Each structure stands twice: as structure tokens, then as C-alpha cells.
Amino acid sequence: MPYKLAADRAAQQKRWRAANREKSRSYINAWSARNREKVREAGRARNQADRLEALSRYSAGGLPQCSCCGEMTVEFLGIDHIDGGGRIHRRAIRTSLYIWLRHNGWPRGYQVLCHNCNLAKGFYGECPHHKLADRRSGNGLDT
């Protein structure tokens, strides 16, 4: 039966999948097994797109960059929990942080940091860039 609108076809397919859950799941599993590399590549692309969207949302001006040092190389950037607790939170949500952020309406309390600044924050309580900025502005004790 030909469909005039793609939406009509999509609606019919959705009804069929709902009525034939086992058969539909069987088809999907068989196709995925035959096309394992295509499925993996699509997953990688989707994960990269989710990550880039989150980095853009939490960066000033929409361009992904570290909020501490200004690093813009996307491979070096990640999402930081401003108040700490990232490990516990990631375990609790049990999904990709990037997806969780989108599904929860891009909540406050997160920022983009490069991995160097993020690790320094975790190990030392603050990034050395902050100490350097304090020294340059004359607020530091050691000059």
C-alpha cells in the first residue's frame, strides 16, 4: 500500500512494531548482527554529536572551550560538576552524562573544563591557572 506522506508510513510502522514486539525485536537483532560495524559507527557518531552539543551548551558563546584556561581542542575538553560529586552522579544516572544533561534540560551546576584543569581541580581543589591569575593581579601572597 503506497503512502502519500512519510508521516503516514511512519505511523503505520509504529503501530505494526507495537502489535508485533517479538517479531520486530527479532528483525532488529538479526539486522544488527549482520551490520555490526555500521551499528558501531552510528553509535560513535551519535555519541560524538551528543558530546559536542553538551560542550557547546556549557561553553560561553557556544564554542566549546575550557572555562578556566580557554583550551579549544575538543578532544581535550569534558564536562565538570562545579560542586564536585561527578563520580557518584555518573554512577547514579547509569547513562551517558551528555544524554542525561539534554534530557534534564541542561541544568545548572556544570561547566566545560579541559582535562588538565579538571584533574587539577580534583587533586588540588583549584586549577593552577587561578593561582597564576591571582599572582598577576597582585592578590597572591607569593610573587
Side-chain angles (χ1 to χ4, degrees), residues 99-126:
I99 292 170
W100 185 89
L101 290 169
R102 183 177 59 234
H103 286 303
N104 286 278
W106 309 108
R108 293 182 179 195
Y110 302 89
Q111 65 182 344
V112 175
L113 289 180
C114 69
H115 297 303
N116 280 338
C117 293
N118 198 356
L119 283 173
K121 180 183 168 193
F123 289 151
Y124 309 115
E126 70 176 334

Side-chain angles (χ1 to χ4, degrees), residues 48-63:
Q48 282 299 101
D50 291 341
R51 182 173 181 274
L52 190 58
E53 180 182 15
L55 292 173
S56 297
R57 291 280 183 149
Y58 284 101
S59 293
L63 287 175

Side-chain angles (χ1 to χ4, degrees), residues 13-24:
Q13 288 174 339
K14 187 174 183 177
R15 285 191 300 272
W16 184 88
R17 285 192 303 272
N20 301 283
R21 285 201 186 278
E22 288 299 317
K23 196 180 232 184
S24 176

Side-chain angles (χ1 to χ4, degrees), residues 2-11:
Y3 296 94
K4 291 184 179 179
L5 299 175
D8 293 339
R9 181 176 182 188

Side-chain angles (χ1 to χ4, degrees), residues 37-49:
E37 190 53 39
K38 189 182 281 190
V39 170
R40 283 185 185 140
E41 186 56 39
R44 282 187 210 108
R46 188 172 44 253
N47 290 341
Q48 282 299 101

Side-chain angles (χ1 to χ4, degrees), residues 130-140:
H130 290 289
K131 291 179 185 176
L132 183 61
D134 286 344
R135 278 190 227 136
R136 286 183 181 155
S137 66
N139 297 333

